[in-house]
Amino acid sequence: MNQFMTPEMQQWLRRPNISAILMTELDFASGMLRLHSAVGDALYQGIVYKGTGVLGKVGMVKQSGQVQPYRLRLTLSGIPQELASIALTEHYQNRQGSLYLAALDNFCQIVARDTLFSGRMDVMNIRLGNPSTIQLDL
């Protein structure tokens, strides 16, 4: 059995015209940030997730049967310096963050979703420049 995906997700991904994407939800004090790894907007349960395309990167997700903390690093690059500056003042530590694997159809609608990682936001490294880069550890 594949512990990476549920049987339902495996069935969805075997269908024609279905793509696998990664999605994230980050609960910032100013509001929820919802992103996905494809391009454009994607819809899931009436909520829009913004596409990051090649600007987003996700570190390795680790699993084990042991109870111990793991770190997952999310990176967003190519953003304007003024948006990165806003991140410097944002309250985020110890707030919820999640990473999902999703099946996306031809109409940019998410038809299935599995949780890959769920945790608390910890450290955010911001490199200001033109463009800027943000790394966030969950």
PDB file of all heavy atoms in Angstrom, residues 1 18 31 39 41 49 51 60-61 83-85 95 100 113 118 127 135 137:
ATOM      1  N   MET A   1       0.831  -1.186   0.000  1.00  0.00           N
ATOM      2  CA  MET A   1       0.000   0.000   0.000  1.00  0.00           C
ATOM      3  C   MET A   1       0.878   1.253   0.000  1.00  0.00           C
ATOM      4  O   MET A   1       1.870   1.340   0.688  1.00  0.00           O
ATOM      5  CB  MET A   1      -0.905  -0.007   1.234  1.00  0.00           C
ATOM      6  CG  MET A   1      -1.844   1.176   1.296  1.00  0.00           C
ATOM      7  SD  MET A   1      -2.945   1.022   2.708  1.00  0.00           S
ATOM      8  CE  MET A   1      -2.702   2.612   3.457  1.00  0.00           C
ATOM      9  N   ILE A  18      -6.131  14.553 -15.771  1.00  0.00           N
ATOM     10  CA  ILE A  18      -6.012  14.951 -14.368  1.00  0.00           C
ATOM     11  C   ILE A  18      -4.531  15.185 -14.072  1.00  0.00           C
ATOM     12  O   ILE A  18      -3.685  14.375 -14.440  1.00  0.00           O
ATOM     13  CB  ILE A  18      -6.574  13.875 -13.409  1.00  0.00           C
ATOM     14  CG1 ILE A  18      -8.065  13.671 -13.632  1.00  0.00           C
ATOM     15  CG2 ILE A  18      -6.269  14.210 -11.960  1.00  0.00           C
ATOM     16  CD1 ILE A  18      -8.950  14.818 -13.162  1.00  0.00           C
ATOM     17  N   GLY A  31      -4.910  37.164   7.401  1.00  0.00           N
ATOM     18  CA  GLY A  31      -5.828  36.338   6.616  1.00  0.00           C
ATOM     19  C   GLY A  31      -5.140  35.112   6.059  1.00  0.00           C
ATOM     20  O   GLY A  31      -3.915  34.997   6.064  1.00  0.00           O
ATOM     21  N   VAL A  39      -0.278  27.063 -12.557  1.00  0.00           N
ATOM     22  CA  VAL A  39      -0.415  28.451 -12.987  1.00  0.00           C
ATOM     23  C   VAL A  39      -1.887  28.850 -12.964  1.00  0.00           C
ATOM     24  O   VAL A  39      -2.756  28.042 -13.266  1.00  0.00           O
ATOM     25  CB  VAL A  39       0.159  28.616 -14.411  1.00  0.00           C
ATOM     26  CG1 VAL A  39      -0.015  30.028 -14.916  1.00  0.00           C
ATOM     27  CG2 VAL A  39       1.635  28.226 -14.433  1.00  0.00           C
ATOM     28  N   ASP A  41      -5.555  30.458 -11.297  1.00  0.00           N
ATOM     29  CA  ASP A  41      -6.378  30.175 -10.123  1.00  0.00           C
ATOM     30  C   ASP A  41      -6.931  28.762 -10.193  1.00  0.00           C
ATOM     31  O   ASP A  41      -7.245  28.267 -11.283  1.00  0.00           O
ATOM     32  CB  ASP A  41      -7.552  31.161 -10.031  1.00  0.00           C
ATOM     33  CG  ASP A  41      -7.112  32.589  -9.749  1.00  0.00           C
ATOM     34  OD1 ASP A  41      -5.948  32.778  -9.344  1.00  0.00           O
ATOM     35  OD2 ASP A  41      -7.933  33.497  -9.918  1.00  0.00           O
ATOM     36  N   TYR A  49      -7.477  29.257  -4.913  1.00  0.00           N
ATOM     37  CA  TYR A  49      -6.054  29.108  -4.594  1.00  0.00           C
ATOM     38  C   TYR A  49      -5.274  29.731  -5.740  1.00  0.00           C
ATOM     39  O   TYR A  49      -5.529  29.436  -6.904  1.00  0.00           O
ATOM     40  CB  TYR A  49      -5.683  27.629  -4.441  1.00  0.00           C
ATOM     41  CG  TYR A  49      -6.261  27.002  -3.199  1.00  0.00           C
ATOM     42  CD1 TYR A  49      -7.605  26.665  -3.124  1.00  0.00           C
ATOM     43  CD2 TYR A  49      -5.453  26.757  -2.096  1.00  0.00           C
ATOM     44  CE1 TYR A  49      -8.142  26.099  -1.974  1.00  0.00           C
ATOM     45  CE2 TYR A  49      -5.985  26.194  -0.944  1.00  0.00           C
ATOM     46  CZ  TYR A  49      -7.319  25.871  -0.896  1.00  0.00           C
ATOM     47  OH  TYR A  49      -7.855  25.319   0.247  1.00  0.00           O
ATOM     48  N   GLY A  51      -2.069  30.407  -8.139  1.00  0.00           N
ATOM     49  CA  GLY A  51      -0.960  29.619  -8.670  1.00  0.00           C
ATOM     50  C   GLY A  51       0.375  30.331  -8.531  1.00  0.00           C
ATOM     51  O   GLY A  51       0.460  31.533  -8.737  1.00  0.00           O
ATOM     52  N   MET A  60      11.464  18.666   1.126  1.00  0.00           N
ATOM     53  CA  MET A  60      11.083  17.280   1.296  1.00  0.00           C
ATOM     54  C   MET A  60      10.129  17.069   2.460  1.00  0.00           C
ATOM     55  O   MET A  60      10.306  17.658   3.517  1.00  0.00           O
ATOM     56  CB  MET A  60      12.330  16.466   1.583  1.00  0.00           C
ATOM     57  CG  MET A  60      12.362  15.395   0.703  1.00  0.00           C
ATOM     58  SD  MET A  60      13.411  14.629  -0.244  1.00  0.00           S
ATOM     59  CE  MET A  60      13.296  13.073   0.525  1.00  0.00           C
ATOM     60  N   VAL A  61       9.117  16.230   2.263  1.00  0.00           N
ATOM     61  CA  VAL A  61       8.181  15.861   3.316  1.00  0.00           C
ATOM     62  C   VAL A  61       8.641  14.520   3.871  1.00  0.00           C
ATOM     63  O   VAL A  61       8.802  13.555   3.137  1.00  0.00           O
ATOM     64  CB  VAL A  61       6.741  15.731   2.772  1.00  0.00           C
ATOM     65  CG1 VAL A  61       5.789  15.291   3.865  1.00  0.00           C
ATOM     66  CG2 VAL A  61       6.293  17.042   2.152  1.00  0.00           C
ATOM     67  N   LEU A  83       6.161  43.595  -1.548  1.00  0.00           N
ATOM     68  CA  LEU A  83       5.379  42.520  -0.940  1.00  0.00           C
ATOM     69  C   LEU A  83       6.202  41.779   0.107  1.00  0.00           C
ATOM     70  O   LEU A  83       5.679  41.368   1.146  1.00  0.00           O
ATOM     71  CB  LEU A  83       4.869  41.550  -2.001  1.00  0.00           C
ATOM     72  CG  LEU A  83       3.800  42.099  -2.941  1.00  0.00           C
ATOM     73  CD1 LEU A  83       3.401  41.055  -3.960  1.00  0.00           C
ATOM     74  CD2 LEU A  83       2.601  42.586  -2.173  1.00  0.00           C
ATOM     75  N   ALA A  84       7.488  41.584  -0.154  1.00  0.00           N
ATOM     76  CA  ALA A  84       8.365  40.940   0.824  1.00  0.00           C
ATOM     77  C   ALA A  84       8.488  41.804   2.073  1.00  0.00           C
ATOM     78  O   ALA A  84       8.551  41.286   3.191  1.00  0.00           O
ATOM     79  CB  ALA A  84       9.736  40.678   0.218  1.00  0.00           C
ATOM     80  N   SER A  85       8.490  43.111   1.917  1.00  0.00           N
ATOM     81  CA  SER A  85       8.569  44.020   3.064  1.00  0.00           C
ATOM     82  C   SER A  85       7.346  43.878   3.969  1.00  0.00           C
ATOM     83  O   SER A  85       7.453  43.959   5.192  1.00  0.00           O
ATOM     84  CB  SER A  85       8.694  45.467   2.586  1.00  0.00           C
ATOM     85  OG  SER A  85       9.878  45.628   1.864  1.00  0.00           O
ATOM     86  N   ARG A  95       1.255  29.808  14.031  1.00  0.00           N
ATOM     87  CA  ARG A  95      -0.046  29.736  13.374  1.00  0.00           C
ATOM     88  C   ARG A  95      -0.032  28.545  12.415  1.00  0.00           C
ATOM     89  O   ARG A  95       1.013  28.094  11.963  1.00  0.00           O
ATOM     90  CB  ARG A  95      -0.359  31.046  12.663  1.00  0.00           C
ATOM     91  CG  ARG A  95      -0.484  32.213  13.662  1.00  0.00           C
ATOM     92  CD  ARG A  95      -0.808  33.510  12.983  1.00  0.00           C
ATOM     93  NE  ARG A  95      -2.147  33.522  12.426  1.00  0.00           N
ATOM     94  CZ  ARG A  95      -3.229  33.941  13.079  1.00  0.00           C
ATOM     95  NH1 ARG A  95      -3.132  34.377  14.313  1.00  0.00           N
ATOM     96  NH2 ARG A  95      -4.418  33.934  12.493  1.00  0.00           N
ATOM     97  N   TYR A 100      -0.838  20.083   0.868  1.00  0.00           N
ATOM     98  CA  TYR A 100      -1.728  19.056   0.341  1.00  0.00           C
ATOM     99  C   TYR A 100      -1.269  18.606  -1.038  1.00  0.00           C
ATOM    100  O   TYR A 100      -0.673  19.387  -1.789  1.00  0.00           O
ATOM    101  CB  TYR A 100      -3.158  19.601   0.188  1.00  0.00           C
ATOM    102  CG  TYR A 100      -3.720  20.227   1.426  1.00  0.00           C
ATOM    103  CD1 TYR A 100      -3.676  21.601   1.614  1.00  0.00           C
ATOM    104  CD2 TYR A 100      -4.309  19.447   2.416  1.00  0.00           C
ATOM    105  CE1 TYR A 100      -4.196  22.189   2.755  1.00  0.00           C
ATOM    106  CE2 TYR A 100      -4.834  20.032   3.560  1.00  0.00           C
ATOM    107  CZ  TYR A 100      -4.773  21.401   3.724  1.00  0.00           C
ATOM    108  OH  TYR A 100      -5.281  21.980   4.854  1.00  0.00           O
ATOM    109  N   ARG A 113      -8.220  15.843  -2.677  1.00  0.00           N
ATOM    110  CA  ARG A 113      -7.092  16.434  -1.948  1.00  0.00           C
ATOM    111  C   ARG A 113      -6.716  15.542  -0.772  1.00  0.00           C
ATOM    112  O   ARG A 113      -7.578  15.063  -0.051  1.00  0.00           O
ATOM    113  CB  ARG A 113      -7.498  17.824  -1.455  1.00  0.00           C
ATOM    114  CG  ARG A 113      -6.400  18.559  -0.739  1.00  0.00           C
ATOM    115  CD  ARG A 113      -6.804  19.966  -0.420  1.00  0.00           C
ATOM    116  NE  ARG A 113      -7.486  20.017   0.871  1.00  0.00           N
ATOM    117  CZ  ARG A 113      -7.758  21.144   1.512  1.00  0.00           C
ATOM    118  NH1 ARG A 113      -7.447  22.304   0.974  1.00  0.00           N
ATOM    119  NH2 ARG A 113      -8.353  21.117   2.676  1.00  0.00           N
ATOM    120  N   SER A 118       1.007  18.892   7.994  1.00  0.00           N
ATOM    121  CA  SER A 118       0.282  19.917   8.736  1.00  0.00           C
ATOM    122  C   SER A 118       1.086  20.259   9.976  1.00  0.00           C
ATOM    123  O   SER A 118       1.584  19.366  10.660  1.00  0.00           O
ATOM    124  CB  SER A 118      -1.110  19.408   9.121  1.00  0.00           C
ATOM    125  OG  SER A 118      -1.863  20.445   9.689  1.00  0.00           O
ATOM    126  N   ARG A 127      14.756  37.379   1.961  1.00  0.00           N
ATOM    127  CA  ARG A 127      15.895  37.991   1.276  1.00  0.00           C
ATOM    128  C   ARG A 127      15.343  39.070   0.353  1.00  0.00           C
ATOM    129  O   ARG A 127      14.708  38.775  -0.660  1.00  0.00           O
ATOM    130  CB  ARG A 127      16.680  36.957   0.490  1.00  0.00           C
ATOM    131  CG  ARG A 127      17.987  37.542  -0.062  1.00  0.00           C
ATOM    132  CD  ARG A 127      18.815  36.529  -0.779  1.00  0.00           C
ATOM    133  NE  ARG A 127      18.062  36.054  -1.931  1.00  0.00           N
ATOM    134  CZ  ARG A 127      18.183  34.852  -2.453  1.00  0.00           C
ATOM    135  NH1 ARG A 127      18.996  33.982  -1.928  1.00  0.00           N
ATOM    136  NH2 ARG A 127      17.472  34.497  -3.505  1.00  0.00           N
ATOM    137  N   GLN A 135      11.429  32.277   2.535  1.00  0.00           N
ATOM    138  CA  GLN A 135      11.413  30.869   2.939  1.00  0.00           C
ATOM    139  C   GLN A 135      10.687  30.783   4.275  1.00  0.00           C
ATOM    140  O   GLN A 135      10.988  31.543   5.195  1.00  0.00           O
ATOM    141  CB  GLN A 135      12.830  30.324   3.119  1.00  0.00           C
ATOM    142  CG  GLN A 135      13.578  30.200   1.831  1.00  0.00           C
ATOM    143  CD  GLN A 135      14.973  29.620   2.049  1.00  0.00           C
ATOM    144  OE1 GLN A 135      15.589  29.855   3.076  1.00  0.00           O
ATOM    145  NE2 GLN A 135      15.438  28.857   1.096  1.00  0.00           N
ATOM    146  N   ASP A 137       9.415  28.024   7.272  1.00  0.00           N
ATOM    147  CA  ASP A 137       9.473  26.669   7.822  1.00  0.00           C
ATOM    148  C   ASP A 137       8.185  26.377   8.582  1.00  0.00           C
ATOM    149  O   ASP A 137       7.705  27.189   9.367  1.00  0.00           O
ATOM    150  CB  ASP A 137      10.656  26.534   8.790  1.00  0.00           C
ATOM    151  CG  ASP A 137      11.990  26.534   8.070  1.00  0.00           C
ATOM    152  OD1 ASP A 137      12.004  26.388   6.834  1.00  0.00           O
ATOM    153  OD2 ASP A 137      13.016  26.689   8.758  1.00  0.00           O
TER     154      ASP A 137
END
